[in-house]
Amino acid sequence: MDIKNRNKILQYGRELLELELYEAQKLSARLGDDFVKACELILSIKGKVVVSGIGKSGHIGKKIAASLASTGTPSFFMHPSEALHGDLGMVSSSDLVILISYSGRAKEFNLILPILKEMKVPIIAITGGSTSPLALSAESVLDISVEKEACPMGLAPTSSSTNTLLLGDALTIALMRIKGFKEEDFARSHPAGSLGAKLLNHVKDVMRTGSVVPQVKDDATVFDAMLELSRTGLGLVAVCDISNNIIGVFTDGDLRRLLLNNGTLQDPIIQVITKPGYRLPEEWKAIEALKSFNDHNITAAPVVNNEGKLVGALNIHDLHQAGIY
C-alpha cells in the first residue's frame, strides 16, 4: 500500500474516534432526574428487566442485558419481531422493559407499546427522539442524541450506538454499586472464569486428601518421614499425635539441616520437626491460601479442620491447576 492511502486510512480512523469521543463526552452532563428515575424503577421491580431493540440497537441491547444479569440485576433480551410473534408472553406485570431506538419510532415498538401500557409494565426509553412515541410512552427517557454520526454519510449508527453502549454501562454500574454488589457476587455468575476460581473455591475444594496426604505419627523416625517425603513429593510431612492433631511439620529443609548436623535417619522425628509448623484452615478461600504462601515464602502446607486435626494438604501447584494465580 502506498504512503498516500496509508495516511488516508489513519486519518479516517482518527476522525471517527474523535467524533465519537466528542459526542460521548456530552453524555455525562445529561444524566439527571431521568437517569435516577430509571435506576429507582429497576430497583423497585420484583421481576426482571427485559431489554429490546432492533438492528444495531438490538446488538447493543443484548450486551446491556448480559451486563445487567451478570452484575446483580436479573435481565434478558427480547427481539422486537419475536415479541410480536409470541415472545411478549415472557413479559409479566412485575417486569420492567428497556426499549432502545435512536429515532424512537421503530414500527415494532409502536405495536408493543400499547400492550405494555395496558399491562402497566414500566418502560425506560433509550432514544435520541425526545418527542417520539417511544419517549412519550416511557416513565424515564435516557437521551443518546448526537449532533453527528461518525459515518461520513450520516447513515450507519456510530456515535449514537457508542452513546447507547456507554449509557447502558452507566446504568449497569450505577445499579451494581448502589446494591453493594461484591466480587463474590460477580464470581457466582462467572463460576467458570478465573475470578470464579479465585473467589468461590475454598482450600477444602482443592486440597489433597486421603492416602496422598504426607503424614507420620509422633513416634516415627526420620527415616519413616523421609520415605513419606519421597512417596508424596509434597516437600513436607505432617507429624501427628494419636488423635490426628498436628504437632509439627518435617520438611526437605529439616532433612538437610539434620544431615549437615551429623544427625541420623534413625533419630526420632519429634526431635527435628518444625514446631508448631504452618498449617491452613480448610475453610479459607483458595486465594487466601495463595496469598499466605507468598507472604510466608512457602509452597506447601498441611490443612486442618476447625478442631485442628489434619484433613488434607495443599501446595502451590494444586492452586495453579485450579486456575488460581
Side-chain angles (χ1 to χ4, degrees):
M1 181 177 293
D2 61 45
I3 190 68
K4 183 177 179 181
N5 283 334
R6 179 183 181 278
N7 289 338
K8 280 186 177 180
I9 289 172
L10 291 174
Q11 176 191 341
Y12 298 154
R14 287 167 181 159
E15 285 177 356
L16 178 135
L17 292 176
E18 288 168 4
L19 278 169
E20 291 201 4
L21 288 170
Y22 168 75
E23 295 292 351
Q25 285 174 347
K26 296 185 287 185
L27 278 179
S28 178
R30 291 183 198 161
L31 296 190
D33 292 341
D34 273 294
F35 186 79
V36 174
K37 177 68 172 177
C39 291
E40 289 175 340
L41 286 169
I42 294 172
L43 290 168
S44 68
I45 62 169
K46 296 180 179 178
K48 291 180 171 60
V49 174
V50 184
V51 183
S52 189
I54 199 161
K56 307 299 186 296
S57 296
H59 292 304
I60 294 175
K62 291 177 183 177
K63 193 272 182 188
I64 293 173
S67 295
L68 287 168
S70 69
T71 53
T73 302
S75 177
F76 64 90
F77 178 81
M78 177 182 68
H79 194 284
S81 296
E82 298 298 334
L84 294 172
H85 294 277
D87 281 5
L88 199 55
M90 295 189 292
V91 182
S92 74
S93 58
S94 63
D95 295 331
L96 174 145
V97 174
I98 298 177
L99 301 181
I100 308 170
S101 168
Y102 184 75
S103 68
R105 301 177 185 279
K107 293 180 180 179
E108 292 84 356
F109 287 169
N110 291 339
L111 297 173
I112 292 171
L113 284 169
I115 300 170
L116 295 177
K117 299 298 285 186
E118 183 180 354
M119 295 171 62
K120 297 185 177 0
V121 174
I123 299 169
I124 296 172
I126 299 182
T127 182
S130 60
T131 61
S132 65
L134 173 57
L136 296 175
S137 298
E139 281 75 15
S140 170
V141 180
L142 304 181
D143 183 8
I144 54 168
S145 61
V146 297
E147 292 179 29
K148 185 179 180 181
E149 294 284 8
C151 168
M153 297 178 291
L155 300 176
T158 44
S159 302
S160 60
S161 57
T162 299
N163 277 7
T164 307
L165 181 65
L166 292 173
L167 202 52
D169 284 346
L171 192 64
T172 297
I173 301 307
L175 289 166
M176 181 187 79
R177 295 180 69 177
I178 204 71
K179 288 180 175 183
F181 195 79
K182 297 181 176 61
E183 285 184 335
E184 290 81 0
D185 303 312
F186 189 86
R188 290 188 183 94
S189 59
H190 298 76
S194 61
L195 181 62
K198 289 178 181 178
L199 296 179
L200 297 181
N201 280 317
H202 291 76
V203 168
K204 64 183 178 181
D205 300 320
V206 295
M207 69 182 184
R208 306 180 186 196
T209 59
S211 62
V212 295
V213 177
Q215 58 181 306
V216 295
K217 295 304 179 186
D218 54 2
D219 59 354
T221 65
V222 172
F223 182 74
D224 297 326
M226 188 188 71
L227 290 178
E228 192 71 352
L229 276 174
S230 301
R231 182 183 72 84
T232 58
L234 196 66
L236 63 81
V237 175
V239 181
C240 304
D241 63 18
I242 194 170
S243 300
N244 214 35
N245 296 302
I246 298 180
I247 300 172
V249 295
F250 181 72
T251 67
D252 291 331
D254 292 322
L255 178 59
R256 287 192 295 273
R257 283 186 288 273
L258 170 74
L259 298 177
L260 287 172
N261 291 325
N262 298 318
T264 72
L265 297 181
Q266 299 306 316
D267 288 348
I269 192 65
I270 200 70
Q271 294 180 3
V272 295
I273 61 174
T274 299
K275 293 182 180 180
Y278 188 75
R279 68 282 307 272
L280 293 169
E282 65 175 347
E283 295 299 329
W284 269 19
K285 288 182 179 176
I287 190 65
E288 291 179 291
L290 180 61
K291 182 179 184 303
S292 183
F293 280 168
N294 292 331
D295 289 346
H296 290 85
N297 197 28
I298 58 176
T299 59
V303 179
V304 296
N305 61 17
N306 291 334
E307 299 173 352
K309 297 185 184 299
L310 179 69
V311 292
L314 182 72
N315 77 357
I316 200 164
H317 301 299
D318 299 325
L319 293 170
H320 290 170
Q321 287 178 355
I324 301 158
Y325 293 93

